[in-house]
Amino acid sequence: MNPWSVINYLDDGCYPKAFWQSTGSNDVISEIIQNATSEILENMQLLMQEQVVSTYIDTSVIYPEIQSNPTTIYSFLLIAGYLKVVKKVPCHDGNIICDIAIPNKEIFYVYEKEVLAGLSDLISQSSAIAIQQAIYQQDVSGLQKQLQKFLLQTISSHDAASESFYHGMVIGLCAIMNNMYYVSSNRESGAGRYDVQLLPHNKVLPGILIELKVLRETVPETEISERLKKLCHAALQQIETKNYAVSMREQGVQQIMKFGIAFYKKRVEIVCRMGDEPGRKD
């Protein structure tokens, strides 16, 4: 038990918050996030969605090993108190296979702070807020403007090749909304697997479904915008046809915003539809 937190908890009228968060450095998490592989970042996202991750735990790990073997970070974070064991299975070498999770809200806020700080190197706070507002307000032109700016400033034409690349980029951007939404991707719902789902913590907020498309063949400049819009509408049709919204509706979400987003190199087009109405905003 942390005496500092207990004393401040009582002094603050028994209102729970992360009292100890500002008393020390969380540089280790910041360093891990900055140097993480895509697999580690995906697992970090799962942990921040209150899910468990299964991993091998080396009980003798030391900090320098993180540099040479990134998979040891879970062992180090567990020993340092940034993770907890939910379930464990002993191995013959004395180590264990564990289901791990974030232990409490205080630690969750540390992860959230460091993840958002890491994103700030790629996207400014003002741009992050602008993207958030555009999504809430169904401001497609504003959202498209911010995504277009992000693409131009941060990616190489060599990177912009596959749907998986854009998928990872969108998931990263959705992390800025983690305080209001559970972010998930490639999960079963209805008759298929959606690309990205944002399930609101508060069911008063609308749920969000995002389907991504990529224009792969080379096309004349004059045709890019129209071709991308057609892909956006195809994405929306896929959301409707495969009934991706059924999972959120079963969880009590009344309003659902559906985004069809299409990419071509550093170009992007977005079409948004609210609910099951055939009309659209573009």
Side-chain angles (χ1 to χ4, degrees), residues 111-254:
Y111 279 94
E112 183 177 54
K113 177 182 176 182
E114 297 303 332
V115 167
L116 294 180
L119 282 175
S120 66
D121 293 336
L122 297 176
I123 182 169
S124 67
Q125 184 177 13
S126 61
S127 295
I129 292 173
I131 288 174
Q132 236 177 1
Q133 290 177 336
I135 291 175
Y136 291 149
Q137 298 168 5
Q138 300 179 64
D139 179 5
V140 174
S141 62
L143 179 59
Q144 183 168 312
K145 178 181 178 182
Q146 291 299 324
L147 280 180
Q148 187 69 77
K149 178 181 176 182
F150 181 79
L151 287 170
L152 290 171
Q153 292 178 345
T154 60
I155 73 167
S156 162
S157 295
H158 298 292
D159 293 330
S162 66
E163 184 172 328
S164 61
F165 170 81
Y166 294 110
H167 192 131
M169 182 193 73
V170 171
I171 288 293
L173 290 173
C174 285
I176 64 177
M177 304 177 74
N178 199 68
N179 60 330
M180 294 185 178
Y181 286 90
Y182 295 105
V183 183
S184 60
S185 66
N186 286 325
R187 303 286 178 81
E188 295 280 350
S189 182
R193 299 167 68 95
Y194 56 73
D195 278 340
V196 182
Q197 174 184 278
L198 278 68
L199 175 68
H201 297 292
N202 185 340
K203 300 304 188 296
V204 173
L205 292 173
I208 297 171
L209 282 167
I210 301 173
E211 191 66 26
L212 308 174
K213 298 292 182 183
V214 176
L215 180 59
R216 293 182 172 84
E217 66 268 26
T218 302
V219 297
E221 178 69 25
T222 55
E223 297 180 17
I224 294 174
S225 180
E226 188 60 32
R227 293 284 297 276
L228 288 177
K229 284 185 179 180
K230 287 182 178 179
L231 285 177
C232 289
H233 290 298
L236 288 178
Q237 186 60 45
Q238 181 175 329
I239 292 174
E240 299 288 354
T241 302
K242 294 187 177 292
N243 199 18
Y244 290 155
V246 66
S247 177
M248 280 199 284
R249 295 202 187 283
E250 289 174 350
Q251 297 181 68
V253 179
Q254 299 300 315

Side-chain angles (χ1 to χ4, degrees), residues 254-280:
Q254 299 300 315
Q255 290 186 307
I256 297 178
M257 295 165 55
K258 302 164 185 177
F259 287 90
I261 304 180
F263 296 96
Y264 176 72
K265 298 182 179 179
K266 295 188 178 186
R267 294 279 296 274
V268 62
E269 289 282 347
I270 303 172
V271 175
C272 175
R273 184 178 299 164
M274 192 70 180
D276 300 316
E277 296 299 321
R280 64 180 185 271

Side-chain angles (χ1 to χ4, degrees), residues 88-104:
K88 62 181 179 180
V89 177
C91 299
H92 64 86
D93 59 0
N95 293 307
I96 50 178
I97 298 292
C98 288
D99 286 348
I100 54 174
I102 295 177
N104 53 47

